[in-house]
Amino acid sequence: CLLGAQPILVIGFSGPLLVFEEALYSFCTAYGMEYIVARVWVGVWLVIIVSLTVAFEGSFLVRYISRFTQEMFSILISLIFIYETFAKILNIFKAHPLLWKYEDPDYLHNLSLRNHTGNETDLDPEELGIQYANTALLSLILMGGTFFSALFLRKFKNSRFLPGQIRRIIGDFGVPISIFIMVAIDYSIADTYTQKLSVPSGLSVTNPKKRGWFINPLGLKQDFPIWMMFAAAVPALLVFILIFLESQITTLIISKPERKMVKGSGFHLDLLLIVGMGGIASIFGVPWLSAATVRSVTHANALTVMHKGGKQEIDKVLEQRISGMLVALLVGLSILMEPILKLIPLAVLFGIFLYMGVASLFGIQMYDRILLLFVPPKYHPDTAYIKHVSILRVHSFTLIQIVCLVLMWAVKSSPASLALPFVLILTIPLRIYMTGRLFTEREMKCLDAPDAKVILEEVLDEDVYNETQMPV
Protein backbone atom coordinates (compact mmCIF):
# COMPACT_ATOMS: atom_id res chain seq x y z
CA CYS A 1 0.00 0.00 0.00
CA LEU A 2 3.01 2.32 0.35
CA LEU A 3 4.61 1.86 -3.07
CA GLY A 4 1.74 0.49 -5.18
CA ALA A 5 0.20 2.48 -8.00
CA GLN A 6 -3.34 1.61 -6.88
CA PRO A 7 -3.56 2.16 -3.08
CA ILE A 8 -7.15 0.87 -2.91
CA LEU A 9 -6.03 -2.71 -3.61
CA VAL A 10 -6.01 -5.05 -0.61
CA ILE A 11 -3.29 -7.69 -0.76
CA GLY A 12 -3.82 -11.08 0.86
CA PHE A 13 -3.90 -14.86 0.53
CA SER A 14 -6.66 -16.32 -1.62
CA GLY A 15 -8.41 -19.58 -2.42
CA PRO A 16 -6.70 -20.22 -5.79
CA LEU A 17 -3.26 -19.90 -4.23
CA LEU A 18 -4.31 -22.27 -1.44
CA VAL A 19 -5.26 -24.88 -4.06
CA PHE A 20 -1.89 -24.49 -5.76
CA GLU A 21 0.00 -24.73 -2.46
CA GLU A 22 -1.78 -28.03 -1.71
CA ALA A 23 -0.95 -29.34 -5.17
CA LEU A 24 2.71 -28.38 -4.83
CA TYR A 25 2.88 -29.99 -1.39
CA SER A 26 1.39 -33.24 -2.70
CA PHE A 27 3.85 -33.25 -5.61
CA CYS A 28 6.88 -32.71 -3.35
CA THR A 29 5.69 -35.35 -0.87
CA ALA A 30 5.18 -37.90 -3.64
CA TYR A 31 8.73 -37.43 -4.94
CA GLY A 32 10.43 -37.19 -1.54
CA MET A 33 11.42 -33.52 -1.81
CA GLU A 34 11.24 -30.81 0.83
CA TYR A 35 8.22 -28.69 0.07
CA ILE A 36 9.43 -25.57 1.88
CA VAL A 37 12.69 -25.62 -0.11
CA ALA A 38 10.85 -26.13 -3.40
CA ARG A 39 8.89 -22.96 -2.65
CA VAL A 40 12.15 -21.02 -2.46
CA TRP A 41 13.09 -21.99 -6.01
CA VAL A 42 9.57 -21.33 -7.23
CA GLY A 43 9.95 -17.87 -5.68
CA VAL A 44 13.25 -17.29 -7.50
CA TRP A 45 11.65 -18.13 -10.83
CA LEU A 46 8.64 -15.96 -9.97
CA VAL A 47 10.92 -12.92 -9.72
CA ILE A 48 12.51 -13.78 -13.08
CA ILE A 49 9.13 -14.34 -14.81
CA VAL A 50 7.52 -11.16 -13.50
CA SER A 51 10.59 -9.12 -14.44
CA LEU A 52 10.39 -10.38 -18.03
CA THR A 53 6.62 -9.86 -18.15
CA VAL A 54 6.87 -6.27 -16.98
CA ALA A 55 9.84 -5.55 -19.26
CA PHE A 56 7.82 -6.62 -22.31
CA GLU A 57 4.56 -5.06 -21.03
CA GLY A 58 2.77 -8.40 -20.78
CA SER A 59 -0.16 -6.98 -18.82
CA PHE A 60 -1.98 -6.30 -22.09
CA LEU A 61 -2.89 -10.01 -22.13
CA VAL A 62 -5.55 -9.31 -19.50
CA ARG A 63 -7.84 -8.11 -22.32
CA TYR A 64 -8.29 -11.73 -23.46
CA ILE A 65 -9.55 -12.94 -20.07
CA SER A 66 -13.33 -12.93 -20.32
CA ARG A 67 -16.23 -13.82 -18.04
CA PHE A 68 -16.19 -17.30 -19.62
CA THR A 69 -12.88 -18.11 -17.91
CA GLN A 70 -13.36 -16.06 -14.75
CA GLU A 71 -16.63 -17.68 -13.72
CA MET A 72 -15.51 -21.27 -14.30
CA PHE A 73 -12.51 -20.60 -12.10
CA SER A 74 -14.69 -18.95 -9.45
CA ILE A 75 -17.09 -21.89 -9.26
CA LEU A 76 -14.18 -24.34 -9.15
CA ILE A 77 -12.71 -22.58 -6.11
CA SER A 78 -16.13 -22.42 -4.44
CA LEU A 79 -16.63 -26.16 -4.97
CA ILE A 80 -13.20 -26.86 -3.51
CA PHE A 81 -14.03 -24.88 -0.37
CA ILE A 82 -17.37 -26.68 0.01
CA TYR A 83 -15.91 -30.13 -0.65
CA GLU A 84 -12.97 -29.67 1.73
CA THR A 85 -15.28 -28.46 4.51
CA PHE A 86 -17.44 -31.58 4.47
CA ALA A 87 -14.35 -33.78 4.04
CA LYS A 88 -12.88 -32.31 7.25
CA ILE A 89 -16.11 -32.82 9.18
CA LEU A 90 -16.29 -36.39 7.90
CA ASN A 91 -12.77 -36.99 9.22
CA ILE A 92 -13.90 -35.78 12.65
CA PHE A 93 -16.79 -38.26 12.60
CA LYS A 94 -14.32 -41.01 11.67
CA ALA A 95 -11.94 -40.09 14.47
CA HIS A 96 -14.72 -39.64 17.04
CA PRO A 97 -17.65 -41.82 15.90
CA LEU A 98 -20.98 -41.99 17.66
CA LEU A 99 -20.81 -45.00 20.02
CA TRP A 100 -23.06 -46.50 22.68
CA LYS A 101 -20.19 -46.58 25.15
CA TYR A 102 -16.90 -44.70 25.49
CA GLU A 103 -13.92 -46.01 27.45
CA ASP A 104 -12.08 -44.22 30.29
CA PRO A 105 -14.69 -41.55 31.02
CA ASP A 106 -12.71 -40.09 33.96
CA TYR A 107 -9.59 -39.73 31.83
CA LEU A 108 -11.55 -38.13 29.04
CA HIS A 109 -13.14 -35.73 31.52
CA ASN A 110 -9.71 -34.58 32.70
CA LEU A 111 -8.60 -33.99 29.14
CA SER A 112 -11.83 -32.13 28.39
CA LEU A 113 -10.74 -29.43 30.85
CA ARG A 114 -8.42 -28.25 28.08
CA ASN A 115 -11.53 -27.28 26.15
CA HIS A 116 -12.32 -24.73 28.87
CA THR A 117 -8.84 -23.43 29.68
CA GLY A 118 -7.17 -23.76 26.30
CA ASN A 119 -3.91 -24.81 28.02
CA GLU A 120 -1.70 -27.25 26.16
CA THR A 121 -0.47 -30.50 27.69
CA ASP A 122 2.43 -32.75 26.74
CA LEU A 123 0.03 -35.06 24.90
CA ASP A 124 -1.83 -34.13 21.75
CA PRO A 125 -5.40 -35.44 22.12
CA GLU A 126 -5.62 -36.09 18.37
CA GLU A 127 -2.51 -38.29 18.56
CA LEU A 128 -3.79 -40.33 21.51
CA GLY A 129 -6.27 -42.18 19.30
CA ILE A 130 -9.01 -41.88 21.94
CA GLN A 131 -12.59 -41.44 20.80
CA TYR A 132 -14.30 -38.53 22.54
CA ALA A 133 -18.01 -38.40 23.31
CA ASN A 134 -20.08 -35.77 21.51
CA THR A 135 -17.03 -34.27 19.76
CA ALA A 136 -18.36 -34.95 16.26
CA LEU A 137 -21.86 -33.66 17.04
CA LEU A 138 -20.58 -30.46 18.66
CA SER A 139 -18.18 -29.88 15.74
CA LEU A 140 -21.05 -30.25 13.29
CA ILE A 141 -23.18 -27.80 15.29
CA LEU A 142 -20.34 -25.27 15.46
CA MET A 143 -19.69 -25.54 11.74
CA GLY A 144 -23.37 -25.22 10.79
CA GLY A 145 -23.96 -22.43 13.30
CA THR A 146 -21.03 -20.40 12.01
CA PHE A 147 -22.11 -20.84 8.39
CA PHE A 148 -25.79 -20.01 8.83
CA SER A 149 -25.19 -17.08 11.20
CA ALA A 150 -22.60 -15.52 8.86
CA LEU A 151 -24.91 -15.98 5.88
CA PHE A 152 -27.85 -14.52 7.80
CA LEU A 153 -25.87 -11.45 8.90
CA ARG A 154 -24.74 -10.88 5.33
CA LYS A 155 -28.36 -10.93 4.14
CA PHE A 156 -29.39 -8.76 7.10
CA LYS A 157 -27.24 -5.99 5.64
CA ASN A 158 -29.79 -5.54 2.86
CA SER A 159 -32.90 -5.96 5.00
CA ARG A 160 -35.38 -3.31 6.16
CA PHE A 161 -34.60 -3.56 9.88
CA LEU A 162 -32.59 -0.97 11.82
CA PRO A 163 -30.97 2.15 10.31
CA GLY A 164 -28.73 1.73 7.28
CA GLN A 165 -25.47 2.50 9.07
CA ILE A 166 -26.12 -0.12 11.75
CA ARG A 167 -27.13 -2.73 9.16
CA ARG A 168 -23.99 -1.99 7.19
CA ILE A 169 -21.76 -2.46 10.24
CA ILE A 170 -23.50 -5.72 11.18
CA GLY A 171 -23.22 -7.04 7.62
CA ASP A 172 -19.57 -6.06 7.17
CA PHE A 173 -18.60 -7.68 10.48
CA GLY A 174 -20.91 -10.68 10.12
CA VAL A 175 -18.08 -13.22 9.96
CA PRO A 176 -16.27 -11.99 13.13
CA ILE A 177 -19.61 -11.81 14.97
CA SER A 178 -20.42 -15.40 13.96
CA ILE A 179 -17.01 -16.60 15.09
CA PHE A 180 -17.39 -14.84 18.45
CA ILE A 181 -20.83 -16.38 19.07
CA MET A 182 -19.73 -19.94 18.21
CA VAL A 183 -16.51 -19.67 20.25
CA ALA A 184 -18.61 -18.51 23.23
CA ILE A 185 -20.90 -21.54 22.80
CA ASP A 186 -17.94 -23.91 22.61
CA TYR A 187 -16.31 -22.27 25.65
CA SER A 188 -19.51 -22.71 27.67
CA ILE A 189 -19.62 -26.48 26.93
CA ALA A 190 -16.58 -27.44 28.99
CA ASP A 191 -17.23 -31.18 29.15
CA THR A 192 -16.92 -31.84 25.41
CA TYR A 193 -13.58 -31.82 23.62
CA THR A 194 -13.13 -29.99 20.29
CA GLN A 195 -9.87 -29.57 18.42
CA LYS A 196 -8.57 -25.99 18.63
CA LEU A 197 -6.57 -23.77 16.32
CA SER A 198 -2.83 -24.30 16.73
CA VAL A 199 -1.09 -20.93 17.06
CA PRO A 200 2.61 -20.38 17.91
CA SER A 201 3.42 -18.23 20.92
CA GLY A 202 4.68 -14.74 20.09
CA LEU A 203 6.63 -13.88 16.95
CA SER A 204 7.90 -17.21 15.68
CA VAL A 205 7.63 -19.57 12.75
CA THR A 206 4.81 -22.10 12.57
CA ASN A 207 6.93 -25.03 13.73
CA PRO A 208 10.29 -23.98 15.23
CA LYS A 209 11.33 -27.65 15.61
CA LYS A 210 11.33 -28.22 11.84
CA ARG A 211 12.51 -24.90 10.39
CA GLY A 212 13.95 -21.50 11.19
CA TRP A 213 13.34 -18.05 9.82
CA PHE A 214 15.59 -18.56 6.81
CA ILE A 215 15.06 -21.43 4.36
CA ASN A 216 18.29 -22.84 2.97
CA PRO A 217 17.83 -23.10 -0.84
CA LEU A 218 20.14 -26.13 -0.93
CA GLY A 219 17.98 -28.12 1.50
CA LEU A 220 17.16 -28.29 5.21
CA LYS A 221 17.58 -31.96 6.14
CA GLN A 222 18.58 -33.34 2.76
CA ASP A 223 20.12 -32.07 -0.44
CA PHE A 224 17.62 -30.54 -2.80
CA PRO A 225 17.79 -32.04 -6.32
CA ILE A 226 19.65 -29.82 -8.78
CA TRP A 227 17.27 -30.69 -11.62
CA MET A 228 14.34 -29.45 -9.55
CA MET A 229 16.02 -26.06 -9.14
CA PHE A 230 15.51 -25.55 -12.88
CA ALA A 231 12.26 -27.53 -13.14
CA ALA A 232 10.74 -25.18 -10.53
CA ALA A 233 10.25 -22.74 -13.42
CA VAL A 234 7.17 -24.75 -14.45
CA PRO A 235 5.21 -24.43 -11.17
CA ALA A 236 6.46 -20.84 -10.95
CA LEU A 237 4.85 -20.09 -14.30
CA LEU A 238 1.61 -21.69 -13.13
CA VAL A 239 1.43 -19.75 -9.85
CA PHE A 240 2.32 -16.59 -11.77
CA ILE A 241 -0.73 -17.20 -13.97
CA LEU A 242 -2.95 -17.36 -10.87
CA ILE A 243 -1.53 -14.15 -9.38
CA PHE A 244 -1.70 -12.42 -12.77
CA LEU A 245 -5.37 -13.33 -13.24
CA GLU A 246 -6.49 -12.26 -9.78
CA SER A 247 -4.44 -9.09 -9.52
CA GLN A 248 -5.13 -7.70 -12.98
CA ILE A 249 -8.86 -8.47 -12.95
CA THR A 250 -9.19 -6.95 -9.50
CA THR A 251 -7.45 -3.80 -10.71
CA LEU A 252 -9.85 -3.59 -13.66
CA ILE A 253 -12.86 -3.85 -11.35
CA ILE A 254 -11.52 -1.22 -8.94
CA SER A 255 -10.53 1.22 -11.70
CA LYS A 256 -13.84 1.37 -13.57
CA PRO A 257 -14.60 4.82 -15.02
CA GLU A 258 -17.80 5.04 -12.95
CA ARG A 259 -15.70 5.39 -9.81
CA LYS A 260 -14.09 8.63 -11.12
CA MET A 261 -10.68 7.79 -9.72
CA VAL A 262 -7.98 10.43 -10.12
CA LYS A 263 -4.76 8.48 -9.71
CA GLY A 264 -5.52 5.63 -12.08
CA SER A 265 -3.77 2.25 -11.97
CA GLY A 266 -0.31 0.94 -12.78
CA PHE A 267 -0.79 -2.65 -13.89
CA HIS A 268 2.90 -3.36 -14.36
CA LEU A 269 4.09 -1.67 -11.16
CA ASP A 270 1.50 -3.41 -8.97
CA LEU A 271 2.19 -6.78 -10.60
CA LEU A 272 5.93 -6.34 -10.11
CA LEU A 273 5.52 -5.43 -6.44
CA ILE A 274 3.03 -8.21 -5.60
CA VAL A 275 4.87 -11.03 -7.37
CA GLY A 276 8.34 -9.70 -6.50
CA MET A 277 7.57 -9.48 -2.78
CA GLY A 278 6.06 -12.97 -2.88
CA GLY A 279 9.14 -14.37 -4.57
CA ILE A 280 11.50 -12.82 -2.03
CA ALA A 281 9.23 -13.86 0.85
CA SER A 282 9.64 -17.52 -0.19
CA ILE A 283 13.12 -17.46 1.35
CA PHE A 284 11.44 -16.94 4.73
CA GLY A 285 8.63 -19.44 4.12
CA VAL A 286 5.99 -16.72 3.81
CA PRO A 287 2.97 -17.48 1.57
CA TRP A 288 2.57 -15.90 -1.85
CA LEU A 289 -0.01 -13.13 -2.01
CA SER A 290 -2.22 -11.52 -4.64
CA ALA A 291 -4.83 -8.78 -4.88
CA ALA A 292 -7.89 -9.97 -2.93
CA THR A 293 -10.90 -9.25 -5.15
CA VAL A 294 -13.79 -9.14 -2.67
CA ARG A 295 -11.78 -7.35 0.02
CA SER A 296 -10.56 -4.77 -2.51
CA VAL A 297 -14.09 -4.06 -3.80
CA THR A 298 -15.38 -3.75 -0.24
CA HIS A 299 -12.51 -1.38 0.57
CA ALA A 300 -13.30 0.78 -2.48
CA ASN A 301 -17.02 0.91 -1.63
CA ALA A 302 -16.23 1.99 1.93
CA LEU A 303 -14.15 4.90 0.58
CA THR A 304 -16.77 5.98 -1.98
CA VAL A 305 -18.48 9.36 -1.49
CA MET A 306 -21.92 9.65 -3.12
CA HIS A 307 -23.23 12.78 -4.83
CA LYS A 308 -25.65 14.73 -2.64
CA GLY A 309 -28.79 14.96 -4.70
CA GLY A 310 -31.61 13.02 -6.22
CA LYS A 311 -29.41 11.15 -8.70
CA GLN A 312 -27.45 8.21 -7.37
CA GLU A 313 -23.97 8.95 -8.64
CA ILE A 314 -20.45 8.59 -7.33
CA ASP A 315 -18.89 11.94 -6.47
CA LYS A 316 -15.39 10.68 -5.69
CA VAL A 317 -13.36 7.96 -4.04
CA LEU A 318 -11.08 8.88 -1.13
CA GLU A 319 -7.83 7.63 -2.65
CA GLN A 320 -5.31 7.35 0.18
CA ARG A 321 -2.90 4.85 1.73
CA ILE A 322 -3.75 5.30 5.41
CA SER A 323 -6.55 2.70 5.57
CA GLY A 324 -4.37 0.08 3.89
CA MET A 325 -1.55 0.74 6.35
CA LEU A 326 -3.93 0.43 9.29
CA VAL A 327 -5.24 -2.91 8.00
CA ALA A 328 -1.69 -4.26 7.69
CA LEU A 329 -0.84 -2.97 11.17
CA LEU A 330 -3.86 -4.64 12.75
CA VAL A 331 -3.05 -7.93 11.01
CA GLY A 332 0.48 -7.76 12.42
CA LEU A 333 -0.80 -7.08 15.92
CA SER A 334 -2.77 -10.34 15.80
CA ILE A 335 0.41 -12.15 16.94
CA LEU A 336 -0.31 -10.72 20.38
CA MET A 337 -3.72 -12.44 20.44
CA GLU A 338 -2.35 -15.98 20.70
CA PRO A 339 -4.19 -16.82 23.96
CA ILE A 340 -7.49 -15.81 22.34
CA LEU A 341 -6.90 -17.44 18.96
CA LYS A 342 -6.14 -20.78 20.63
CA LEU A 343 -9.72 -20.87 21.91
CA ILE A 344 -11.16 -21.01 18.37
CA PRO A 345 -12.32 -24.54 17.41
CA LEU A 346 -11.35 -25.77 13.97
CA ALA A 347 -15.01 -26.57 13.32
CA VAL A 348 -15.75 -22.83 13.45
CA LEU A 349 -13.15 -22.24 10.75
CA PHE A 350 -14.71 -25.03 8.69
CA GLY A 351 -17.98 -23.08 8.87
CA ILE A 352 -16.19 -19.98 7.56
CA PHE A 353 -14.71 -22.00 4.68
CA LEU A 354 -18.19 -23.28 3.83
CA TYR A 355 -19.52 -19.74 3.96
CA MET A 356 -16.76 -18.53 1.63
CA GLY A 357 -17.56 -21.30 -0.83
CA VAL A 358 -21.31 -20.73 -0.87
CA ALA A 359 -21.19 -16.92 -0.72
CA SER A 360 -18.79 -16.80 -3.67
CA LEU A 361 -21.45 -18.46 -5.87
CA PHE A 362 -23.86 -15.53 -5.52
CA GLY A 363 -23.73 -13.17 -8.47
CA ILE A 364 -21.90 -15.58 -10.81
CA GLN A 365 -23.76 -15.68 -14.12
CA MET A 366 -22.69 -19.27 -14.83
CA TYR A 367 -24.20 -20.37 -11.52
CA ASP A 368 -27.44 -18.57 -12.39
CA ARG A 369 -27.53 -20.28 -15.80
CA ILE A 370 -26.94 -23.68 -14.20
CA LEU A 371 -30.02 -23.09 -12.04
CA LEU A 372 -31.95 -22.15 -15.19
CA LEU A 373 -31.53 -25.74 -16.39
CA PHE A 374 -34.12 -26.68 -13.75
CA VAL A 375 -36.39 -23.61 -13.99
CA PRO A 376 -39.46 -23.45 -16.30
CA PRO A 377 -39.16 -20.78 -19.05
CA LYS A 378 -41.95 -18.62 -17.63
CA TYR A 379 -39.86 -18.00 -14.50
CA HIS A 380 -36.66 -17.01 -16.33
CA PRO A 381 -35.19 -13.61 -15.38
CA ASP A 382 -35.32 -10.56 -17.61
CA THR A 383 -31.64 -10.51 -18.63
CA ALA A 384 -29.84 -9.77 -21.89
CA TYR A 385 -28.86 -13.36 -22.59
CA ILE A 386 -32.46 -14.51 -22.06
CA LYS A 387 -33.93 -11.75 -24.25
CA HIS A 388 -31.59 -12.02 -27.25
CA VAL A 389 -30.42 -15.67 -27.17
CA SER A 390 -32.61 -18.76 -27.52
CA ILE A 391 -32.82 -20.85 -24.38
CA LEU A 392 -31.32 -23.90 -26.12
CA ARG A 393 -28.26 -21.86 -27.05
CA VAL A 394 -28.00 -20.59 -23.49
CA HIS A 395 -28.10 -24.14 -22.15
CA SER A 396 -25.52 -25.26 -24.73
CA PHE A 397 -23.14 -22.52 -23.59
CA THR A 398 -23.71 -23.52 -19.97
CA LEU A 399 -23.08 -27.22 -20.68
CA ILE A 400 -19.76 -26.37 -22.37
CA GLN A 401 -18.71 -24.52 -19.23
CA ILE A 402 -19.82 -27.44 -17.06
CA VAL A 403 -17.71 -29.85 -19.13
CA CYS A 404 -14.68 -27.57 -18.76
CA LEU A 405 -15.37 -27.32 -15.01
CA VAL A 406 -15.51 -31.11 -14.67
CA LEU A 407 -12.24 -31.38 -16.58
CA MET A 408 -10.55 -28.87 -14.27
CA TRP A 409 -11.87 -30.75 -11.22
CA ALA A 410 -10.48 -34.01 -12.63
CA VAL A 411 -7.07 -32.40 -13.18
CA LYS A 412 -7.16 -30.87 -9.70
CA SER A 413 -7.91 -34.28 -8.15
CA SER A 414 -5.24 -36.13 -10.15
CA PRO A 415 -1.46 -36.35 -9.64
CA ALA A 416 -1.19 -33.71 -12.37
CA SER A 417 -2.93 -31.09 -10.20
CA LEU A 418 -0.05 -28.66 -10.70
CA ALA A 419 -1.24 -28.26 -14.30
CA LEU A 420 -4.56 -26.72 -13.21
CA PRO A 421 -3.56 -23.11 -14.10
CA PHE A 422 -2.45 -24.31 -17.54
CA VAL A 423 -5.81 -26.00 -18.15
CA LEU A 424 -7.49 -22.78 -17.02
CA ILE A 425 -5.51 -20.75 -19.56
CA LEU A 426 -6.62 -23.14 -22.34
CA THR A 427 -10.20 -21.94 -21.84
CA ILE A 428 -9.16 -18.57 -23.32
CA PRO A 429 -8.40 -19.90 -26.83
CA LEU A 430 -11.46 -22.16 -26.48
CA ARG A 431 -13.65 -19.11 -25.99
CA ILE A 432 -12.04 -17.44 -29.03
CA TYR A 433 -12.63 -20.58 -31.11
CA MET A 434 -16.31 -20.75 -30.09
CA THR A 435 -16.97 -17.20 -31.31
CA GLY A 436 -18.18 -17.28 -34.91
CA ARG A 437 -18.25 -21.08 -35.03
CA LEU A 438 -20.44 -22.43 -32.24
CA PHE A 439 -21.97 -19.08 -31.30
CA THR A 440 -22.43 -15.85 -33.21
CA GLU A 441 -20.79 -12.57 -32.19
CA ARG A 442 -24.15 -11.27 -30.98
CA GLU A 443 -24.78 -14.35 -28.84
CA MET A 444 -21.31 -14.18 -27.29
CA LYS A 445 -21.79 -10.51 -26.46
CA CYS A 446 -24.91 -11.43 -24.50
CA LEU A 447 -23.57 -14.61 -22.87
CA ASP A 448 -20.02 -13.47 -22.14
CA ALA A 449 -20.34 -9.71 -21.69
CA PRO A 450 -18.46 -8.10 -18.78
CA ASP A 451 -21.70 -6.65 -17.42
CA ALA A 452 -20.75 -6.47 -13.75
CA LYS A 453 -21.93 -3.07 -12.58
CA VAL A 454 -20.75 -0.75 -9.83
CA ILE A 455 -23.13 -0.66 -6.87
CA LEU A 456 -23.57 3.05 -6.18
CA GLU A 457 -24.87 2.63 -2.64
CA GLU A 458 -26.27 0.06 -0.24
CA VAL A 459 -29.76 -0.66 -1.58
CA LEU A 460 -32.31 -3.27 -0.69
CA ASP A 461 -31.95 -6.72 -2.25
CA GLU A 462 -28.53 -5.95 -3.78
CA ASP A 463 -25.16 -7.20 -2.60
CA VAL A 464 -21.88 -5.44 -3.36
CA TYR A 465 -20.15 -8.83 -3.43
CA ASN A 466 -22.02 -9.59 -6.66
CA GLU A 467 -19.81 -7.06 -8.42
CA THR A 468 -16.98 -9.61 -8.60
CA GLN A 469 -16.71 -12.84 -10.55
CA MET A 470 -13.45 -13.93 -8.95
CA PRO A 471 -13.42 -16.11 -5.83
CA VAL A 472 -12.79 -14.91 -2.31
Side-chain angles (χ1 to χ4, degrees), residues 47-229:
V47 175
I48 297 174
I49 293 173
V50 73
S51 300
L52 293 174
T53 302
V54 171
F56 291 96
E57 298 186 352
S59 292
F60 78 93
L61 296 172
V62 73
R63 71 179 67 175
Y64 298 107
I65 304 172
S66 67
R67 177 184 287 266
F68 179 78
T69 299
Q70 296 174 32
E71 296 194 330
M72 285 190 296
F73 190 42
S74 300
I75 292 184
L76 175 66
I77 300 304
S78 296
L79 292 178
I80 290 174
F81 273 112
I82 296 172
Y83 171 80
E84 291 294 334
T85 297
F86 287 104
K88 298 293 185 183
I89 285 293
L90 183 60
N91 290 336
I92 294 179
F93 271 86
K94 291 180 180 179
H96 309 282
L98 304 180
L99 304 175
W100 287 105
K101 182 180 180 181
Y102 293 87
E103 298 180 357
D104 299 325
D106 295 334
Y107 178 66
L108 293 179
H109 176 73
N110 293 332
L111 283 181
S112 68
L113 293 177
R114 297 176 65 251
N115 184 65
H116 182 79
T117 61
N119 296 324
E120 293 290 339
T121 62
D122 294 333
L123 297 176
D124 186 355
E126 294 301 315
E127 296 179 356
L128 293 175
I130 301 176
Q131 298 167 342
Y132 296 87
N134 300 324
T135 293
L137 288 177
L138 181 57
S139 298
L140 181 62
I141 292 173
L142 293 175
M143 183 202 75
T146 305
F147 167 72
F148 286 110
S149 57
L151 195 62
F152 169 79
L153 292 176
R154 173 179 169 175
K155 296 296 183 182
F156 183 79
K157 182 179 181 179
N158 300 317
S159 68
R160 293 175 172 82
F161 301 99
L162 302 180
Q165 283 292 111
I166 298 178
R167 292 201 315 267
R168 190 175 295 112
I169 293 175
I170 294 176
D172 290 340
F173 292 92
V175 172
I177 292 173
S178 302
I179 294 176
F180 177 80
I181 293 174
M182 292 302 116
V183 170
I185 293 176
D186 176 74
Y187 186 82
S188 63
I189 306 176
D191 59 349
T192 301
Y193 165 77
T194 52
Q195 187 179 1
K196 300 298 189 294
L197 179 65
S198 178
V199 183
S201 301
L203 185 61
S204 65
V205 297
T206 306
N207 194 340
K209 297 180 180 179
K210 294 186 177 180
R211 51 156 290 195
W213 284 102
F214 178 78
I215 308 300
N216 186 357
L218 301 180
L220 296 179
K221 297 181 180 179
Q222 62 185 30
D223 293 335
F224 194 73
I226 297 178
W227 66 269
M228 187 58 191
M229 298 178 184

Side-chain angles (χ1 to χ4, degrees), residues 71 74-79 82 154 355-368 466:
E71 296 194 330
S74 300
I75 292 184
L76 175 66
I77 300 304
S78 296
L79 292 178
I82 296 172
R154 173 179 169 175
Y355 166 79
M356 292 171 62
V358 174
S360 297
L361 293 174
F362 301 146
I364 298 180
Q365 187 190 97
M366 178 183 171
Y367 176 71
D368 296 336
N466 294 347

Side-chain angles (χ1 to χ4, degrees), residues 222-242:
Q222 62 185 30
D223 293 335
F224 194 73
I226 297 178
W227 66 269
M228 187 58 191
M229 298 178 184
F230 298 94
V234 177
L237 177 61
L238 299 178
V239 73
F240 174 76
I241 292 173
L242 293 180

